[in-house]
């Protein structure tokens, strides 16, 4: 398992010092898909000088570029995806996270069938472009407070299966998983399609183990990472896991103990996953 952390390029040194393996950045902040190549090329990051590799990127599509409804511009979205995928490949990024709750929100005047067809059309187009640039697009389930489409793992899996491209796979996020009261069976159903994981406590979306470090007992955790990791390991998952969270205290103070908590929990889950 490779353990990463969401952050900015300026955070990379601190994130590395805490013991993380890679950095997950925001597409808007780093790849800047609405910026012309003549501008981006002059200021793009030098990956040889970065303290950590950038292996994933989230916030793929800005809300100003709707995917669903009469205001969508599929040609514009295609041009945008070509720019960010080309730039992502140059930086060595392996995963694009398709969350983008604002962009994929279904307008009130658009019926569900039309919204679904627009999601399929965009995801297939984006997946084909990602494949050309050796990037896997992972579909993220988002809770209902953030958007009104693809709120469950099952819905995301249905989209993934309908698009049917090797470059389009799945993500599970402990925060959304907890808020939507998903079950272990929903993760098990993903099988080999699971290619990326986000983690955070459900309460206030702070770092995993943050409540234990504040209150001093395991019972105060808002999310059961032992069970969550056990389920991941039962389906053979051993790829990237990124912290996507706020911090209860500065990362310089608690980053290393958070990394230890996660790695220790992951190791215990290996024993759990072997039990009947």
């Amino acid at each position: 398992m490779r353990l990463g952390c969401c952050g900015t390029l300026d955070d990379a040194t601190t994130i590395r010092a805490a013991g993380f393996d890679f950095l997950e950045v925001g597409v808007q902040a780093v790849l800047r898909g609405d910026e012309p190549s003549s501008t981006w090329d002059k200021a793009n990051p030098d990956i040889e000088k970065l303290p950590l590799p950038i292996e994933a990127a989230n916030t793929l599509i800005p809300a100003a570029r709707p995917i669903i409804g009469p205001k969508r511009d599929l040609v514009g979205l295609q041009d945008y995806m070509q720019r960010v995928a080309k730039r992502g490949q140059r930086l060595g990024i392996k995963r694009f996270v398709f969350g983008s709750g604002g962009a994929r929100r279904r307008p009130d005047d658009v019926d569900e069938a039309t919204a679904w067809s627009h999601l399929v059309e965009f995801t297939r187009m984006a997946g084909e472009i990602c494949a050309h640039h050796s990037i896997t697009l992972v579909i993220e389930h988002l809770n209902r407070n953030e958007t009104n489409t693809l709120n469950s793992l099952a819905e995301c899996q249905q989209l993934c299966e309908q698009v049917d491209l090797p470059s389009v796979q799945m993500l599970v996020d402990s925060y959304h998983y907890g808020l939507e009261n998903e079950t272990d069976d929903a993760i098990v159903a993903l099988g080999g399609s699971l290619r990326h994981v986000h983690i955070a406590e459900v309460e206030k979306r702070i770092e995993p183990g943050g409540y234990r470090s504040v209150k001093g007992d395991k019972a105060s955790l808002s999310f059961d990472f032992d069970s969550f990791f056990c389920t991941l390991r039962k389906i053979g998952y051993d790829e990237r896991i990124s912290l996507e969270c706020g911090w209860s205290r500065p990362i310089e103070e608690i980053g290393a103990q958070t990394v230890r908590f996660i790695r220790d929990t992951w190791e215990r889950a290996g024993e759990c996953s072997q039990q009947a």
Side-chain angles (χ1 to χ4, degrees):
M1 181 268 289
R2 288 181 61 76
L3 184 61
C5 186
C6 295
T8 68
L9 295 177
D10 291 339
D11 297 328
T13 298
T14 301
I15 289 171
R16 179 185 178 182
F20 291 96
D21 300 318
F22 69 91
L23 181 66
E24 179 169 331
V25 299
V27 169
Q28 308 310 308
V30 176
L31 304 181
R32 304 189 299 278
D34 289 320
E35 188 173 277
S37 295
S38 58
T39 303
W40 189 84
D41 288 343
K42 294 177 182 178
N44 64 302
D46 183 349
I47 59 173
E48 298 298 327
K49 295 180 180 179
L50 289 176
L52 280 175
I54 306 172
E55 297 185 7
N58 55 50
T59 62
L60 180 61
I61 308 295
R65 287 186 175 273
I67 292 168
I68 296 171
K71 293 183 179 180
R72 75 172 184 148
D73 174 5
L74 195 61
V75 173
L77 284 165
Q78 184 177 35
D79 290 343
Y80 171 92
M81 282 300 307
Q82 287 172 339
R83 286 192 294 274
V84 297
K86 180 180 179 180
R87 295 169 190 180
Q89 184 178 31
R90 284 180 60 176
L91 298 185
I93 293 173
K94 303 302 182 185
R95 300 286 184 269
F96 272 176
V97 175
F98 177 31
S100 308
R104 79 186 198 202
R105 176 171 291 277
R106 177 175 63 86
D108 292 338
D109 58 349
V110 176
D111 63 82
E112 292 185 2
T114 299
W116 185 259
S117 69
H118 288 182
L119 282 169
V120 171
E121 191 171 22
F122 167 79
T123 307
R124 182 172 289 123
M125 174 270 289
E128 289 171 348
I129 291 172
C130 285
H132 184 69
H133 293 282
S134 303
I135 295 171
T136 299
L137 182 73
V138 288
I139 306 170
E140 181 177 26
H141 56 132
L142 298 177
N143 71 80
R144 295 167 203 275
N145 295 321
E146 296 187 17
T147 195
N148 60 0
T149 62
L150 303 175
N151 303 121
S152 71
L153 287 169
E155 289 174 304
C156 293
Q157 181 73 348
Q158 183 181 355
L159 175 61
C160 183
E161 291 173 353
Q162 188 165 340
V163 169
D164 193 23
L165 291 172
S167 58
V168 176
Q169 300 292 327
M170 289 289 299
L171 176 150
V172 62
D173 185 308
S174 67
Y175 174 72
H176 302 297
Y177 178 90
L179 283 182
E180 291 295 318
N181 296 310
E182 296 258 23
T183 66
D184 291 349
D185 288 344
I187 295 178
V188 172
L190 301 180
S193 69
L194 182 61
R195 296 299 175 82
H196 198 56
V197 173
H198 281 166
I199 55 174
E201 294 282 357
V202 175
E203 185 181 344
K204 297 185 179 180
R205 207 174 189 173
I206 65 169
E207 77 279 358
Y211 290 103
R212 188 176 68 169
S213 65
V214 171
K215 301 177 184 178
D217 63 19
K218 186 176 179 180
S220 64
L221 286 163
S222 75
F223 187 79
D224 186 351
F225 285 99
D226 284 275
S227 176
F228 184 70
F229 284 173
C230 179
T231 304
L232 292 179
R233 299 201 65 166
K234 280 181 178 178
I235 63 172
Y237 187 80
D238 195 25
E239 296 192 36
R240 296 174 182 85
I241 296 178
S242 289
L243 272 71
E244 187 183 26
C245 61
W247 291 86
S248 61
R249 301 206 306 275
I251 186 174
E252 293 87 349
E253 295 180 17
I254 59 172
Q257 73 182 49
T258 300
V259 169
R260 286 195 301 272
F261 167 78
I262 295 167
R263 293 196 189 280
D264 288 348
T265 306
W266 184 258
E267 287 304 313
R268 286 198 304 273
E271 299 176 5
C272 162
S273 67
Q274 296 171 15
Q275 299 173 3

